[in-house]
Short mmCIF file of all heavy atoms in Angstrom, two decimals:
data_model
loop_
_atom_site.label_atom_id
_atom_site.label_comp_id
_atom_site.label_asym_id
_atom_site.label_seq_id
_atom_site.Cartn_x
_atom_site.Cartn_y
_atom_site.Cartn_z
N GLN A 1 0.82 -1.21 0.00
CA GLN A 1 0.00 0.00 0.00
C GLN A 1 0.86 1.27 0.00
O GLN A 1 0.34 2.36 -0.22
CB GLN A 1 -0.95 0.00 1.19
CG GLN A 1 -1.99 -1.09 1.08
CD GLN A 1 -2.86 -1.18 2.31
OE1 GLN A 1 -2.48 -0.78 3.39
NE2 GLN A 1 -4.04 -1.73 2.13
N ILE A 2 2.14 1.11 0.24
CA ILE A 2 3.04 2.26 0.19
C ILE A 2 3.50 2.44 -1.26
O ILE A 2 4.23 1.62 -1.80
CB ILE A 2 4.28 2.07 1.11
CG1 ILE A 2 3.84 1.81 2.55
CG2 ILE A 2 5.21 3.26 1.00
CD1 ILE A 2 3.15 2.96 3.23
N GLU A 3 3.03 3.50 -1.85
CA GLU A 3 3.34 3.78 -3.25
C GLU A 3 4.76 4.32 -3.40
O GLU A 3 5.48 3.95 -4.32
CB GLU A 3 2.35 4.81 -3.79
CG GLU A 3 2.60 5.27 -5.19
CD GLU A 3 1.63 6.36 -5.61
OE1 GLU A 3 0.50 6.39 -5.09
OE2 GLU A 3 2.00 7.17 -6.45
N GLU A 4 5.14 5.22 -2.47
CA GLU A 4 6.43 5.87 -2.59
C GLU A 4 6.90 6.33 -1.21
O GLU A 4 6.10 6.82 -0.42
CB GLU A 4 6.32 7.06 -3.54
CG GLU A 4 7.62 7.69 -3.92
CD GLU A 4 7.46 8.76 -4.99
OE1 GLU A 4 6.37 9.35 -5.12
OE2 GLU A 4 8.44 9.00 -5.70
N ILE A 5 8.19 6.15 -0.95
CA ILE A 5 8.79 6.61 0.30
C ILE A 5 9.71 7.77 -0.06
O ILE A 5 10.61 7.63 -0.89
CB ILE A 5 9.58 5.48 0.98
CG1 ILE A 5 8.65 4.31 1.27
CG2 ILE A 5 10.26 5.99 2.25
CD1 ILE A 5 9.34 3.03 1.63
N LEU A 6 9.43 8.92 0.56
CA LEU A 6 10.17 10.13 0.26
C LEU A 6 11.05 10.51 1.44
O LEU A 6 10.71 10.26 2.60
CB LEU A 6 9.20 11.28 -0.03
CG LEU A 6 8.13 11.00 -1.08
CD1 LEU A 6 7.15 12.16 -1.17
CD2 LEU A 6 8.76 10.73 -2.42
N THR A 7 12.18 11.13 1.16
CA THR A 7 13.05 11.64 2.21
C THR A 7 13.82 12.83 1.67
O THR A 7 13.64 13.23 0.52
CB THR A 7 13.98 10.52 2.74
OG1 THR A 7 14.53 10.94 4.00
CG2 THR A 7 15.08 10.18 1.77
N THR A 8 14.68 13.37 2.52
CA THR A 8 15.47 14.54 2.14
C THR A 8 16.94 14.14 2.00
O THR A 8 17.36 13.12 2.56
CB THR A 8 15.36 15.65 3.20
OG1 THR A 8 16.02 15.21 4.40
CG2 THR A 8 13.91 16.00 3.49
N GLU A 9 17.70 14.93 1.31
CA GLU A 9 19.14 14.67 1.19
C GLU A 9 19.80 14.75 2.56
O GLU A 9 20.68 13.96 2.87
CB GLU A 9 19.79 15.66 0.21
CG GLU A 9 21.27 15.41 0.02
CD GLU A 9 21.63 13.98 -0.45
OE1 GLU A 9 20.99 13.49 -1.39
OE2 GLU A 9 22.54 13.37 0.15
N ASN A 10 19.34 15.67 3.38
CA ASN A 10 19.86 15.82 4.74
C ASN A 10 19.65 14.52 5.53
O ASN A 10 20.54 14.06 6.24
CB ASN A 10 19.15 17.00 5.41
CG ASN A 10 19.93 17.59 6.53
OD1 ASN A 10 21.15 17.64 6.48
ND2 ASN A 10 19.23 18.04 7.55
N THR A 11 18.48 13.94 5.41
CA THR A 11 18.17 12.69 6.11
C THR A 11 19.03 11.55 5.59
O THR A 11 19.57 10.77 6.37
CB THR A 11 16.68 12.34 5.94
OG1 THR A 11 15.89 13.39 6.50
CG2 THR A 11 16.33 11.03 6.62
N LEU A 12 19.20 11.48 4.28
CA LEU A 12 20.03 10.42 3.71
C LEU A 12 21.48 10.56 4.15
O LEU A 12 22.15 9.55 4.42
CB LEU A 12 19.91 10.44 2.18
CG LEU A 12 20.03 9.10 1.48
CD1 LEU A 12 19.15 8.03 2.08
CD2 LEU A 12 19.76 9.25 0.01
N ALA A 13 21.97 11.78 4.26
CA ALA A 13 23.34 12.01 4.76
C ALA A 13 23.47 11.54 6.20
O ALA A 13 24.48 10.93 6.59
CB ALA A 13 23.70 13.49 4.65
N GLU A 14 22.44 11.79 7.01
CA GLU A 14 22.43 11.33 8.40
C GLU A 14 22.44 9.80 8.45
O GLU A 14 23.15 9.19 9.27
CB GLU A 14 21.20 11.87 9.12
CG GLU A 14 21.12 11.54 10.57
CD GLU A 14 19.86 12.08 11.25
OE1 GLU A 14 19.09 12.84 10.64
OE2 GLU A 14 19.65 11.71 12.41
N VAL A 15 21.69 9.16 7.57
CA VAL A 15 21.65 7.69 7.51
C VAL A 15 23.03 7.15 7.15
O VAL A 15 23.51 6.19 7.76
CB VAL A 15 20.58 7.20 6.51
CG1 VAL A 15 20.69 5.71 6.27
CG2 VAL A 15 19.20 7.56 7.02
N ARG A 16 23.68 7.76 6.16
CA ARG A 16 25.02 7.31 5.77
C ARG A 16 26.00 7.42 6.94
O ARG A 16 26.79 6.52 7.20
CB ARG A 16 25.54 8.13 4.58
CG ARG A 16 24.89 7.78 3.27
CD ARG A 16 25.56 8.54 2.12
NE ARG A 16 24.65 8.68 1.04
CZ ARG A 16 24.00 9.80 0.70
NH1 ARG A 16 24.17 10.91 1.38
NH2 ARG A 16 23.17 9.81 -0.33
N GLU A 17 25.92 8.54 7.64
CA GLU A 17 26.81 8.78 8.78
C GLU A 17 26.59 7.73 9.88
O GLU A 17 27.54 7.12 10.37
CB GLU A 17 26.55 10.18 9.34
CG GLU A 17 27.35 10.51 10.57
CD GLU A 17 26.97 11.85 11.18
OE1 GLU A 17 26.34 12.69 10.47
OE2 GLU A 17 27.29 12.07 12.35
N TYR A 18 25.36 7.51 10.25
CA TYR A 18 25.06 6.57 11.34
C TYR A 18 25.19 5.12 10.92
O TYR A 18 25.39 4.25 11.76
CB TYR A 18 23.69 6.85 11.94
CG TYR A 18 23.73 8.05 12.85
CD1 TYR A 18 23.20 9.27 12.44
CD2 TYR A 18 24.34 7.98 14.09
CE1 TYR A 18 23.27 10.38 13.27
CE2 TYR A 18 24.41 9.08 14.92
CZ TYR A 18 23.87 10.28 14.50
OH TYR A 18 23.94 11.38 15.31
N ALA A 19 25.11 4.83 9.64
CA ALA A 19 25.30 3.46 9.17
C ALA A 19 26.71 2.99 9.51
O ALA A 19 26.91 1.84 9.94
CB ALA A 19 25.04 3.35 7.66
N VAL A 20 27.68 3.87 9.37
CA VAL A 20 29.07 3.52 9.70
C VAL A 20 29.21 3.28 11.20
O VAL A 20 29.84 2.31 11.63
CB VAL A 20 30.03 4.63 9.22
CG1 VAL A 20 31.45 4.37 9.69
CG2 VAL A 20 29.98 4.75 7.70
N VAL A 21 28.58 4.13 12.00
CA VAL A 21 28.60 3.98 13.46
C VAL A 21 27.93 2.66 13.87
O VAL A 21 28.48 1.92 14.70
CB VAL A 21 27.92 5.19 14.15
CG1 VAL A 21 27.76 4.97 15.64
CG2 VAL A 21 28.68 6.47 13.86
N LEU A 22 26.79 2.39 13.29
CA LEU A 22 26.07 1.15 13.61
C LEU A 22 26.84 -0.09 13.16
O LEU A 22 26.80 -1.12 13.84
CB LEU A 22 24.69 1.16 12.96
CG LEU A 22 23.66 2.05 13.64
CD1 LEU A 22 22.40 2.13 12.79
CD2 LEU A 22 23.33 1.54 15.02
N ALA A 23 27.53 0.01 12.05
CA ALA A 23 28.32 -1.12 11.57
C ALA A 23 29.37 -1.49 12.60
O ALA A 23 29.54 -2.67 12.93
CB ALA A 23 28.97 -0.79 10.23
N LYS A 24 30.06 -0.49 13.13
CA LYS A 24 31.07 -0.75 14.16
C LYS A 24 30.42 -1.33 15.41
O LYS A 24 30.91 -2.31 15.98
CB LYS A 24 31.82 0.53 14.51
CG LYS A 24 32.77 0.99 13.45
CD LYS A 24 33.48 2.26 13.85
CE LYS A 24 34.34 2.78 12.70
NZ LYS A 24 34.96 4.06 13.03
N LYS A 25 29.32 -0.74 15.82
CA LYS A 25 28.63 -1.16 17.04
C LYS A 25 28.13 -2.60 16.94
O LYS A 25 28.18 -3.36 17.91
CB LYS A 25 27.47 -0.20 17.31
CG LYS A 25 26.81 -0.38 18.64
CD LYS A 25 25.76 0.71 18.83
CE LYS A 25 25.16 0.63 20.21
NZ LYS A 25 24.23 1.72 20.46
N LYS A 26 27.64 -2.98 15.77
CA LYS A 26 27.07 -4.31 15.57
C LYS A 26 28.05 -5.29 14.93
O LYS A 26 27.67 -6.39 14.55
CB LYS A 26 25.79 -4.21 14.74
CG LYS A 26 24.70 -3.43 15.46
CD LYS A 26 23.38 -3.63 14.80
CE LYS A 26 22.28 -2.99 15.58
NZ LYS A 26 21.86 -3.76 16.73
N ASN A 27 29.30 -4.84 14.79
CA ASN A 27 30.36 -5.67 14.22
C ASN A 27 29.99 -6.18 12.82
O ASN A 27 30.12 -7.37 12.51
CB ASN A 27 30.70 -6.83 15.16
CG ASN A 27 32.08 -7.37 14.90
OD1 ASN A 27 32.94 -6.67 14.37
ND2 ASN A 27 32.30 -8.62 15.25
N LEU A 28 29.51 -5.26 12.00
CA LEU A 28 29.14 -5.57 10.62
C LEU A 28 30.06 -4.80 9.67
O LEU A 28 30.58 -3.74 10.03
CB LEU A 28 27.69 -5.14 10.35
CG LEU A 28 26.61 -5.84 11.16
CD1 LEU A 28 25.28 -5.11 11.01
CD2 LEU A 28 26.48 -7.29 10.72
N PRO A 29 30.26 -5.29 8.47
CA PRO A 29 31.08 -4.53 7.51
C PRO A 29 30.38 -3.22 7.11
O PRO A 29 29.24 -3.24 6.63
CB PRO A 29 31.19 -5.47 6.31
CG PRO A 29 30.68 -6.80 6.76
CD PRO A 29 29.81 -6.56 7.94
N ALA A 30 31.07 -2.12 7.30
CA ALA A 30 30.50 -0.80 6.99
C ALA A 30 30.12 -0.68 5.52
O ALA A 30 29.09 -0.10 5.18
CB ALA A 30 31.47 0.31 7.38
N ASP A 31 30.94 -1.24 4.63
CA ASP A 31 30.65 -1.12 3.20
C ASP A 31 29.35 -1.83 2.82
O ASP A 31 28.62 -1.36 1.93
CB ASP A 31 31.82 -1.61 2.34
CG ASP A 31 32.23 -3.05 2.63
OD1 ASP A 31 31.89 -3.57 3.71
OD2 ASP A 31 32.92 -3.65 1.77
N ILE A 32 29.01 -2.90 3.52
CA ILE A 32 27.75 -3.61 3.25
C ILE A 32 26.56 -2.75 3.67
O ILE A 32 25.57 -2.63 2.95
CB ILE A 32 27.70 -4.98 3.96
CG1 ILE A 32 28.81 -5.88 3.48
CG2 ILE A 32 26.33 -5.63 3.80
CD1 ILE A 32 28.74 -6.25 2.02
N LEU A 33 26.66 -2.12 4.85
CA LEU A 33 25.56 -1.25 5.30
C LEU A 33 25.42 -0.03 4.40
O LEU A 33 24.31 0.39 4.09
CB LEU A 33 25.76 -0.81 6.75
CG LEU A 33 25.38 -1.83 7.81
CD1 LEU A 33 25.45 -1.22 9.20
CD2 LEU A 33 24.02 -2.41 7.59
N LEU A 34 26.54 0.52 3.96
CA LEU A 34 26.46 1.67 3.05
C LEU A 34 25.86 1.27 1.71
O LEU A 34 25.11 2.04 1.11
CB LEU A 34 27.85 2.31 2.87
CG LEU A 34 28.36 3.04 4.10
CD1 LEU A 34 29.82 3.45 3.91
CD2 LEU A 34 27.51 4.26 4.41
N LEU A 35 26.14 0.08 1.26
CA LEU A 35 25.52 -0.43 0.04
C LEU A 35 24.02 -0.59 0.24
O LEU A 35 23.21 -0.25 -0.64
CB LEU A 35 26.14 -1.77 -0.36
CG LEU A 35 25.61 -2.40 -1.64
CD1 LEU A 35 25.86 -1.51 -2.84
CD2 LEU A 35 26.24 -3.77 -1.85
N ALA A 36 23.62 -1.06 1.43
CA ALA A 36 22.20 -1.19 1.74
C ALA A 36 21.52 0.18 1.72
O ALA A 36 20.38 0.30 1.26
CB ALA A 36 22.01 -1.86 3.10
N VAL A 37 22.21 1.21 2.18
CA VAL A 37 21.65 2.57 2.15
C VAL A 37 21.38 2.99 0.71
O VAL A 37 20.31 3.52 0.41
CB VAL A 37 22.60 3.59 2.84
CG1 VAL A 37 22.12 5.01 2.61
CG2 VAL A 37 22.72 3.29 4.33
N THR A 38 22.31 2.72 -0.18
CA THR A 38 22.12 3.14 -1.58
C THR A 38 21.01 2.36 -2.26
O THR A 38 20.47 2.82 -3.26
CB THR A 38 23.42 2.99 -2.41
OG1 THR A 38 23.80 1.62 -2.44
CG2 THR A 38 24.54 3.83 -1.83
N SER A 39 20.66 1.19 -1.72
CA SER A 39 19.61 0.40 -2.35
C SER A 39 18.22 0.61 -1.72
O SER A 39 17.27 -0.06 -2.12
CB SER A 39 19.98 -1.09 -2.30
OG SER A 39 19.97 -1.55 -0.97
N LEU A 40 18.14 1.53 -0.76
CA LEU A 40 16.83 1.81 -0.16
C LEU A 40 15.86 2.31 -1.23
O LEU A 40 16.22 3.15 -2.06
CB LEU A 40 16.96 2.86 0.95
CG LEU A 40 17.57 2.40 2.25
CD1 LEU A 40 17.90 3.61 3.14
CD2 LEU A 40 16.64 1.45 2.99
N PRO A 41 14.63 1.84 -1.18
CA PRO A 41 13.64 2.28 -2.19
C PRO A 41 13.01 3.63 -1.81
O PRO A 41 11.82 3.72 -1.51
CB PRO A 41 12.60 1.14 -2.15
CG PRO A 41 12.64 0.69 -0.71
CD PRO A 41 14.08 0.82 -0.29
#
């Protein structure tokens, strides 16, 4: 039922920044989380 998910560039920059922090915290590869960010619909 969700046709489109909208966000701002500012929000996406925040997601990129915290993805790296979360990767370290959760012991995950940062490049994989950053790739997941780029694939968000």
Side-chain angles (χ1 to χ4, degrees):
Q1 293 175 337
I2 303 294
E3 176 184 333
E4 190 173 25
I5 301 166
L6 308 174
T7 197
T8 68
E9 182 56 47
N10 203 35
T11 300
L12 212 50
E14 184 181 353
V15 170
R16 286 186 205 105
E17 177 186 341
Y18 283 105
V20 174
V21 172
L22 285 172
K24 287 180 185 176
K25 189 175 185 176
K26 296 194 174 281
N27 202 24
L28 297 168
D31 57 341
I32 299 297
L33 280 187
L34 289 171
L35 181 62
V37 171
T38 63
S39 67
L40 285 168

